[in-house]
Amino acid sequence: MKVFTSLPFEDHRKRLLYLKIMYFVGSLMSLFYIYRFSYAFAAPQYNHILVPLFVTILLGPPLLWYRFKLYAHAAVLLLLSLVFVMIMLIHLTGGLFAPGIYWLAVVPLATAILFGTRGAISGYFCVAATFTVFWLNHNMQTGPNLIPSPEVFREELILNLIVFIGFTSFTTHVYLRNEAAYTQNLREKHNDVENLLRVLLHDIANTLSSMTLQLIRAKEEQSTGGNELEKMERAVQEINNLLNQVRHLKSVKDGKAKLPLRPMSLAKILNDIYENAEALAAPKGIKLSLDMSRDKMLVNAEKTILGNVVLLNIISNAVKFSHPGDRIDIRVFTKEQVVSIVIQDYGVGIPPEILENLFNIACQTNRAGTHGEKGTGYGMPLVKEYIQMLGGSIEVTSAETVTDSHPQGTKVTLQLPLAE
């Protein structure tokens, strides 16, 4: 038992479907051949072995997997019982030349599906040992053959062949479908982990930039260094918050926790990040303009996600692709039960081929800023993902030249539902 239960069994649940297929097919075949042996073959003397085995197959595995959740034990009991019944039936109907001899090919297949490589090896040994015994019985002419006539042999051969083909075809189809779904699930989890790492690489970089600037100012103006060091302390706290949020988001993705959304003042979040945004814009001499009502504008959000991951990301992009001395307009207004945040820059704009795939994390959308600033191309896909997690939406329009309907530059419009 240790060999089987020590295997990575995906909590033994992933294999439950295959276990059920084998259970139903094995139960029906066992019941069918108990009937055949009693009437068609006129050999009821073997029922004292076949009937208890059938009862074990019928009741044992469901009791173990439904009542006690012992999936590995249920699989072992079912396979041992079915293999014993199969070998016994093949032995009684001619051994090496029985019409159902090819059913032995299912043994390593079944053990491999349920228990992996070690299960397959066990299945190979079982088949090899069975063939050896049948070969010895044939050479010694000691094996029985309860099939009464060649006509019955042909019937058995055709019946076994039809059931065998149907069973293997259906099982293979189910296996391939489930493996495809499992592979897709692994890809999604892999992408989730990558996205969380990109949060660290992309968003913490913004906070570190602000922190570095405050450190330079503190060194240059030691007389007023206390205020700058306080700003640095806040930046460090924001980094710590981001790290904690990434851990929590990983738990949310894994279904182990819920995103801690609660009504928060959008005005306060914007004011909190405005200083960091100005620090990002200052080296290029870019002016920020914030037009916002005095209402709190409560939204269901998480401060770090909305402030650092979403808003600061967008403003950082606007700064990156603006020319020195430009301005960036930020307007916030409400309409009915929706608050809109519009961030408009007047920089170089976004080429159409990049704009089309801006939110596609699989596409290459990174490019250098107006001062050669590096980018990863992961920021906007992350922004969209988190805005959707907050129940909102995002729209981006851009023009590389001035048009009648749009100024040159990029406009990002975020919409979030107001908290009730």
Side-chain angles (χ1 to χ4, degrees), residues 122 198 326 360 375 389 396:
S122 300
R198 286 160 186 161
D326 278 353
N360 189 344
M389 290 174 68
V396 179

Side-chain angles (χ1 to χ4, degrees), residues 26 29-31 33-34 37 49-54 56-57 78-92:
M29 291 291 287
S30 300
L31 181 62
Y33 273 101
I34 290 174
F37 269 65
I49 300 176
L50 293 174
V51 171
L53 283 172
F54 172 71
T56 300
I57 294 169
L78 179 63
L79 283 177
L80 288 177
S81 302
L82 288 177
V83 169
F84 190 85
V85 169
M86 181 192 303
I87 293 173
M88 181 178 177
L89 293 176
I90 293 173
H91 172 68
L92 294 175

Side-chain angles (χ1 to χ4, degrees), residues 353-418:
E353 63 274 11
I354 292 181
L355 184 61
E356 183 180 355
N357 298 296
L358 192 61
F359 300 117
N360 189 344
I361 204 164
C363 293
Q364 188 78 14
T365 58
N366 62 309
R367 56 196 177 113
T370 55
H371 270 191
E373 301 98 323
K374 301 295 183 181
T376 63
Y378 300 139
M380 294 308 289
L382 289 174
V383 166
K384 182 176 182 179
E385 181 176 350
Y386 294 129
I387 277 291
Q388 289 176 339
M389 290 174 68
L390 299 176
S393 63
I394 180 171
E395 180 185 4
V396 179
T397 59
S398 187
E400 295 182 275
T401 58
V402 178
T403 65
D404 293 337
S405 56
H406 297 286
Q408 181 178 344
T410 301
K411 181 171 74 172
V412 180
T413 303
L414 303 174
Q415 290 190 321
L416 291 169
L418 290 170

Side-chain angles (χ1 to χ4, degrees), residues 135-288:
W135 180 76
L136 291 173
N137 285 340
H138 174 70
N139 286 342
M140 298 169 59
Q141 297 184 348
T142 56
N145 189 345
L146 300 180
I147 297 179
S149 65
E151 290 77 13
V152 176
F153 178 86
R154 283 193 294 271
E155 290 177 4
E156 290 297 316
L157 183 63
I158 293 171
L159 175 64
N160 276 274
L161 187 59
I162 292 172
V163 177
F164 180 80
I165 293 174
F167 170 76
T168 53
S169 299
F170 178 71
T171 305
T172 302
H173 170 74
V174 171
Y175 179 79
L176 292 175
R177 186 185 64 183
N178 282 12
E179 288 302 306
Y182 178 64
T183 303
Q184 179 62 28
N185 186 43
L186 283 180
R187 287 198 191 98
E188 291 175 357
K189 287 185 177 181
H190 175 72
N191 289 337
D192 288 341
V193 172
E194 282 195 344
N195 288 345
L196 293 176
L197 289 175
R198 286 160 186 161
V199 170
L200 292 176
L201 294 173
H202 191 279
D203 299 312
I204 291 181
N206 290 337
T207 307
L208 284 174
S209 296
S210 173
M211 181 177 168
T212 303
L213 183 62
Q214 305 301 340
L215 178 61
I216 293 171
R217 288 179 177 175
K219 289 180 178 179
E220 291 176 349
E221 305 174 15
Q222 292 186 3
S223 59
T224 60
N227 185 42
E228 301 298 335
L229 290 175
E230 287 180 6
K231 294 177 181 178
M232 286 178 59
E233 184 179 4
R234 287 198 300 272
V236 170
Q237 184 60 43
E238 287 174 2
I239 291 177
N240 187 55
N241 290 339
L242 276 172
L243 288 171
N244 290 332
Q245 193 57 47
V246 166
R247 294 190 190 100
H248 187 78
L249 285 173
K250 180 67 169 65
S251 298
V252 172
K253 293 285 188 180
D254 291 341
K256 297 177 181 178
K258 293 183 178 179
L259 197 64
L261 303 182
R262 59 187 180 89
M264 301 196 71
S265 169
L266 177 60
K268 185 177 186 308
I269 292 175
L270 280 165
N271 285 325
D272 287 344
I273 70 162
Y274 192 74
E275 188 175 271
N276 286 340
E278 285 187 317
L280 291 173
K284 296 174 78 170
I286 295 171
K287 303 297 182 182
L288 299 183

